[in-house]
Amino acid sequence: MRSASDAGDPEQVETSLMVRHTPLTSRFMLVVPPLTGHVFPTIGLGRELLDRGHQVVWTGSEPVLRSLLDPGSGILGTGSRLFRPQGGSGLAAVHSLWDGFVVPYARFTAKALGSAVRSWRPDVLVVDQHTPAGALTAHRHGLPWASLAPGLMELGRPFAELEPWIEERLRGLWQRAGLPAGAYLDPRFSPDLVLALTSDVLAGGPHPEQYALVGPVLADRPAQPDFPWERLDPTHRQVLVSMGTLAEEVTADFLRRTAAALHRLGPDVQAVVVAPRELWPAFPAQAVTVERAPVLELLARGTLSAVLGHGGLGTTGEALTYGVPPVLAPIRHDQPLVAARVAAAGAGLRISFEQAGPEEIAQALRRVLDGPALRAGAERLGAELRAKGGARTAVDRLELLAATAARRENPMVQTIVPDPAQTLG
């Protein structure tokens, strides 16, 4: 390659250096809350971005991220502190989520996020909907950003009557960030790209043009060498029981009813129960009771015939992706909406978390274990979720966002970018 001094006209040299005939290499910053179910999808996004030659860094609670991400992942810590546990159900749970976590976490991380952006200089931010400080930071620095919707809480708006109350809090954060009131945009929804980890059946719709329903983003997770694989009996039908990690204070009674239901199912059904040790009731002798389980590995091995859960979109979407029908007992937030849409699609069943007794739980599990129609429904919905493309489609859209922003900033940059009409199927 000739040096600038040998190339003749300096303006021609500058122009030639700005014309690229390969996909733009960009720097992506992933802004995530310290919630396991929200971090897991970003593992697959980060790997896909890195595989395509981009640079990636995560921002958030460093201890949480270190325990979940691949070794050597780039992390810019924003500090760690305890927040009030989420509690209640219905409207009370939404109040608890916003006043006990989303708003105080945004205030706590705002300054550190600004420092991270100034030091690392990302091209694009990918911001979880429950970390609005990331979107506000993008606005302050004039950076493009994409919203990441790992659930239906904001996407489906199950509590529309609370939207004015939520907007008041978001406007307060906007003002606190020093942004002009007249330019307010809801920081949960990027005007350029909203990545929703779901499908049309579960998300409902219609949705605005910038929404990309990409399906679950699945990726291998930290190994669990202590999981007792040797205790799984291949002659039994296996049921995963997991009520999540954020509702432990209200699940004890449901787990007792579930234990009684499992006794009714008989010895040919083996449960894998995921729950804190102090909540373990008297499960059947063949049950495997653990505090953590490699859910994706269990699904990928084909060892699960049913899932009993709370209706969080993460585990529910994973089960459906592998064609495993769930029984859902929703507790709060978007879980009732997820459960209702799964049941309406004929892909699983919904029961009452508060009122379902042992016999009702047992009957629901029998229906998904013995009913070919529900399994067929789960397989149909799983095929729809897989067809969305997951990490591949999500990163196609992120590359398009980065390239569009680069051209907007400098029209002389020419890049080859994916065609959404081809990547979205």
Side-chain angles (χ1 to χ4, degrees), residues 199-253:
S199 70
D200 306 82
V201 168
L202 293 181
H207 295 291
E209 183 180 22
Q210 76 269 26
Y211 282 50
L213 276 58
V214 303
V217 175
L218 307 183
D220 295 337
R221 295 167 185 171
Q224 291 183 220
D226 58 340
F227 184 78
W229 292 102
E230 71 283 356
R231 291 190 55 197
L232 297 184
D233 188 337
T235 67
H236 290 58
R237 293 182 294 175
Q238 290 162 4
V239 176
L240 174 69
V241 178
S242 176
M243 301 306 293
T245 58
L246 298 179
E248 296 171 359
E249 80 285 357
V250 297
T251 55
D253 182 61

Side-chain angles (χ1 to χ4, degrees), residues 57-148:
V57 71
W58 280 258
T59 62
S61 170
E62 186 167 1
V64 173
L65 292 173
R66 290 282 177 215
S67 68
L68 298 174
L69 300 179
D70 295 329
S73 295
I75 298 172
L76 295 176
T78 56
S80 299
R81 57 163 282 191
L82 294 175
F83 294 91
R84 288 206 310 262
Q86 297 175 41
S89 58
L91 299 181
V94 182
H95 280 274
S96 174
L97 172 67
W98 281 87
D99 279 348
F101 175 71
V102 175
V103 171
Y105 186 71
R107 291 173 175 170
F108 176 69
T109 58
K111 185 176 181 180
L113 281 171
S115 297
V117 164
R118 285 190 295 272
S119 65
W120 200 71
R121 301 175 64 83
D123 297 303
V124 175
L125 277 71
V126 182
V127 182
D128 187 286
Q129 287 188 313
H130 286 165
T131 55
L136 301 179
T137 301
H139 278 291
R140 287 193 64 189
H141 291 269
L143 293 170
W145 57 286
S147 299
L148 182 63

Side-chain angles (χ1 to χ4, degrees), residues 160-180:
E161 62 268 43
L162 282 184
E163 282 299 311
W165 179 86
I166 293 172
E167 182 178 332
E168 180 183 353
R169 274 138 186 81
L170 291 173
R171 286 185 178 273
L173 292 173
W174 183 274
Q175 181 180 16
R176 185 184 178 93
L179 295 165

Side-chain angles (χ1 to χ4, degrees), residues 25 91 133 137 147 160 196 213 257 280 309 313 322 341 364 369 371 391 393:
T25 298
L91 299 181
T137 301
S147 299
L213 276 58
R257 286 177 272 143
W280 293 356
L313 188 61
Y322 283 93
R341 289 180 175 168
L369 288 169
T393 301

Side-chain angles (χ1 to χ4, degrees), residues 330-342:
I331 304 172
R332 56 193 178 212
H333 299 155
D334 62 340
Q335 296 160 10
L337 180 60
V338 174
R341 289 180 175 168
V342 169

Side-chain angles (χ1 to χ4, degrees), residues 123-412:
D123 297 303
V124 175
L125 277 71
V126 182
V127 182
D128 187 286
Q129 287 188 313
H130 286 165
T131 55
L136 301 179
T137 301
H139 278 291
R140 287 193 64 189
H141 291 269
L143 293 170
W145 57 286
S147 299
L148 182 63
L152 299 187
M153 183 63 186
E154 312 307 329
L155 198 69
R157 305 285 183 97
F159 299 98
E161 62 268 43
L162 282 184
E163 282 299 311
W165 179 86
I166 293 172
E167 182 178 332
E168 180 183 353
R169 274 138 186 81
L170 291 173
R171 286 185 178 273
L173 292 173
W174 183 274
Q175 181 180 16
R176 185 184 178 93
L179 295 165
Y184 173 78
L185 287 173
D186 190 327
R188 295 171 297 175
F189 303 99
S190 164
D192 296 315
L193 178 61
V194 176
L195 295 174
L197 310 186
T198 185
S199 70
D200 306 82
V201 168
L202 293 181
H207 295 291
E209 183 180 22
Q210 76 269 26
Y211 282 50
L213 276 58
V214 303
V217 175
L218 307 183
D220 295 337
R221 295 167 185 171
Q224 291 183 220
D226 58 340
F227 184 78
W229 292 102
E230 71 283 356
R231 291 190 55 197
L232 297 184
D233 188 337
T235 67
H236 290 58
R237 293 182 294 175
Q238 290 162 4
V239 176
L240 174 69
V241 178
S242 176
M243 301 306 293
T245 58
L246 298 179
E248 296 171 359
E249 80 285 357
V250 297
T251 55
D253 182 61
F254 184 82
L255 287 173
R256 283 192 289 270
R257 286 177 272 143
T258 298
L262 293 171
H263 281 286
R264 285 168 164 77
L265 290 179
D268 68 324
V269 174
Q270 183 179 38
V272 177
V273 183
V274 185
R277 186 176 297 273
E278 62 271 17
L279 299 184
W280 293 356
F283 288 104
Q286 70 270 24
V288 176
T289 312
V290 294
E291 294 192 284
R292 297 185 308 137
V295 174
L296 282 181
E297 191 171 352
L298 285 165
L299 287 165
R301 290 189 178 197
T303 61
L304 296 178
S305 299
V307 170
L308 174 60
H310 60 6
L313 188 61
T315 300
T316 303
E318 291 163 3
L320 292 169
T321 297
Y322 283 93
V324 176
V327 174
L328 302 175
I331 304 172
R332 56 193 178 212
H333 299 155
D334 62 340
Q335 296 160 10
L337 180 60
V338 174
R341 289 180 175 168
V342 169
L349 297 175
R350 177 181 179 177
I351 60 174
S352 170
F353 174 80
E354 296 86 1
Q355 300 177 7
E359 185 54 36
E360 183 180 350
I361 297 172
Q363 288 179 359
L365 287 171
R366 286 192 192 101
R367 284 185 62 189
V368 297
L369 288 169
D370 299 334
L374 287 170
R375 178 163 291 278
E379 290 172 348
R380 284 195 304 272
L381 188 47
E384 177 185 298
L385 290 166
R386 292 192 302 274
K388 292 296 182 181
R392 174 181 54 79
T393 301
V395 172
D396 284 347
R397 293 300 296 264
L398 288 172
E399 287 183 331
L400 180 59
L401 174 61
T404 302
R407 289 200 304 273
R408 188 181 302 139
E409 182 178 344
N410 189 339
M412 299 180 73

